[in-house]
Amino acid sequence: MPVPLLDVNAQNYPLHDGFSAAFERVFKTGHFIMGEEIAAFEREVLPITGASHALSLSSGTDAILLALMALEIGPGDEVLCPAFTFFATAGCVSRVGATPVFVDVLPDSFNIDIVDARAKLTSKTRAIIPVHLFGQCADMEAVMELANQHSLYVIEDAAQAIGAARHGTLAGSIGHFGCYSFFPSKNLGGLGDGGLLVANDNDLALRAKSLRNHGMEPKYYHSHIGGNFRMDALQAAFLRVKLPHYASYTEKRQANAAFYQEHLAKLPGVSFSSEASGTRLVLPQCGEGNTHIWNQFTLRVTGGRRDALKQHLLDRKIGCEIYYPVTLDQQACFAHLPESSLRGCEVSHRHAEEVLSIPIYSELNEPQKFEVVEAIAAFLN
Ligand SMILES: *Cc1c(COP(=O)(O)O)cnc(C)c1O
């Protein structure tokens, strides 16, 4: 039985009638930009962000870009961000003319290492972008302590973590801005691109809101240079169909993760820490105080055997993927950055060689999960 890495149709087909009704509703109004669907979506999504203000956007990437623009971060400024994340986190920093400074990540959580972040602070550091990678929060107490001590802005990249929490506080609502993505592979996946920016501060939210629409206030008068970062009304209507089901999607991912943890931990050479002797496969774990929403279930395969496991699974028609094979400090587009931006990311480099994500989407069925476990067992034997 094939087990795809992700099956968006398995989640979307049961909602077909809802999507059709949403399409008809928007189609008949002829109102495709902003308007009531956008307002309703922003109102309805707010509770799973925990923030006070939400702006629907064209993508998660644009959420990060817009946050940087609203904070007026630009040339001469440095922004700390993890070396082990999706490209958008740092790409946006360069796009506003600022300099990304890459920070190493922790071995077990894959999230930003604050000890390393502190070591890479300079007088030019203006902001830090913690990423809540694979669906669980970075150590936000440590991030906020560092930020408060050095007057840094905090932009949470919660693209993979909408609804995740740390000590009960929702991902994205802790820093100055929180950024989310509705790319189809994210936990709340739309029918196309979409994103969200949230803030608690009224003035910051208003500034971002104006920049979302060319800094235009009133119509055709521009005091600031913004862009077009709007979400389509159709996309907002489609996301409204999925929102009421979001909690159940998360519960199923959590159940899938628990299943893997239980069954894989019994196999020889499998543990929850790379420190344990004889470990060949390290399982991901939910960190202390975190509510993990499992956007990815990411194994670490030691001993140079990751690519062999990947091939073994693909041969059995089990989807898997390497998130991420090249760290950001090693990307060609950042090679021109000063050495101070690129040094000291050894843990990230090791992750790039060891990680492999396996299917975790909500609609996986029991036989499929057993199939994944049995294939991994066969590899380890
Ligand atoms: C997906 C993702 C983004 C970008 O979101 P898009 O909606 O694809 O633009 C940014 N950061 C991280 C960590 C992501 O996973």
Side-chain angles (χ1 to χ4, degrees):
M1 177 195 347
V3 188
L5 181 62
L6 175 68
D7 183 353
V8 291
N9 285 350
Q11 185 162 90
N12 292 335
Y13 268 50
L15 301 175
H16 179 270
D17 291 353
F19 288 130
S20 294
F23 171 78
E24 287 292 325
R25 190 173 70 236
V26 177
F27 183 75
K28 283 178 181 157
T29 65
H31 201 146
F32 303 126
I33 306 293
M34 300 309 287
E36 184 43 42
E37 290 294 337
I38 292 291
F41 172 65
E42 290 176 350
R43 203 164 52 233
E44 289 164 8
V45 78
L46 202 55
I48 60 168
T49 73
S52 313
H53 307 277
L55 296 171
S56 58
L57 300 174
S58 33
S59 71
T61 303
D62 285 345
I64 301 167
L65 187 62
L66 188 54
L68 290 161
M69 289 170 72
L71 295 171
E72 298 182 308
I73 289 169
D77 297 334
E78 292 178 359
V79 178
L80 299 166
C81 65
F84 190 70
T85 174
F86 179 60
F87 172 74
T89 315
C92 293
V93 174
S94 290
R95 286 172 66 189
V96 298
T99 303
V101 174
F102 296 112
V103 178
D104 211 0
V105 299
L106 296 167
D108 290 324
S109 72
F110 303 107
N111 280 327
I112 194 163
D113 178 348
I114 292 300
V115 173
D116 192 48
R118 195 178 285 279
K120 289 171 178 172
L121 276 172
T122 75
S123 57
K124 295 179 184 167
T125 311
R126 291 273 322 279
I128 180 166
I129 311 184
V131 180
H132 306 315
L133 203 68
F134 302 147
Q136 79 171 323
C137 285
D139 181 350
M140 288 304 291
E141 301 89 90
V143 170
M144 296 314 290
E145 185 188 29
L146 181 76
N148 290 335
Q149 284 167 351
H150 298 276
S151 304
L152 307 181
Y153 288 118
V154 178
I155 300 170
E156 295 180 68
D157 181 343
Q160 302 181 6
I162 189 162
R166 183 158 179 88
H167 301 299
T169 306
L170 288 163
S173 69
I174 304 167
H176 294 86
F177 280 114
C179 308
Y180 309 90
S181 166
F182 306 117
F183 185 83
S185 71
K186 304 298 161 80
N187 284 31
L188 183 56
L191 308 187
D193 279 310
L196 190 78
L197 182 67
V198 301
N200 292 316
D201 184 88
N202 204 31
D203 292 340
L204 285 180
L206 282 175
R207 209 181 304 166
K209 186 174 186 177
S210 168
L211 295 174
R212 170 174 69 175
N213 192 24
H214 298 294
M216 181 160 73
E217 265 174 313
K219 215 170 188 184
Y220 308 124
Y221 287 79
H222 306 263
S223 53
H224 294 89
I225 299 173
N228 170 5
F229 301 121
R230 301 179 302 253
M231 175 182 280
D232 287 338
L234 269 174
Q235 194 60 250
F238 292 149
L239 285 164
R240 290 180 69 199
V241 175
K242 296 191 85 166
L243 258 181
H245 304 278
Y246 188 61
S248 78
Y249 297 156
T250 298
E251 282 164 22
K252 288 176 189 160
R253 283 176 181 264
Q254 289 167 338
N256 293 342
F259 179 99
Y260 282 145
Q261 287 173 328
E262 180 194 341
H263 289 88
L264 291 174
K266 292 176 188 156
L267 302 176
V270 177
S271 83
F272 286 98
S273 163
S274 51
E275 309 297 312
S277 70
T279 296
R280 291 187 286 155
L281 194 76
V282 186
L283 300 175
Q285 226 180 347
C286 178
E288 175 83 35
N290 277 351
T291 304
H292 202 319
I293 65 160
W294 299 101
N295 179 243
Q296 298 296 341
F297 191 90
T298 303
L299 308 170
R300 283 180 284 152
V301 191
T302 62
R305 301 262 291 150
R306 189 268 312 276
D307 292 346
L309 176 58
K310 183 180 180 206
Q311 194 55 51
H312 173 90
L313 294 178
L314 294 179
D315 288 346
R316 282 157 187 75
K317 296 192 167 36
I318 294 172
C320 55
E321 188 56 272
I322 299 168
Y323 302 114
Y324 298 92
V326 183
T327 60
L328 297 189
D329 59 295
Q330 294 183 315
Q331 296 289 348
C333 66
F334 293 130
H336 67 283
L337 290 177
E339 171 58 20
S340 52
S341 281
L342 306 176
R343 72 201 152 93
C345 296
E346 283 74 23
V347 177
S348 302
H349 297 172
R350 198 171 75 221
H351 284 334
E353 286 172 7
E354 293 186 345
V355 291
L356 188 66
S357 296
I358 60 175
I360 189 74
Y361 64 91
S362 310
E363 294 74 23
L364 277 180
N365 60 38
E366 189 108 336
Q368 287 177 311
K369 286 186 269 185
F370 272 117
E371 182 117 347
V372 174
V373 170
E374 279 156 20
I376 292 173
F379 178 79
L380 291 172
N381 270 329

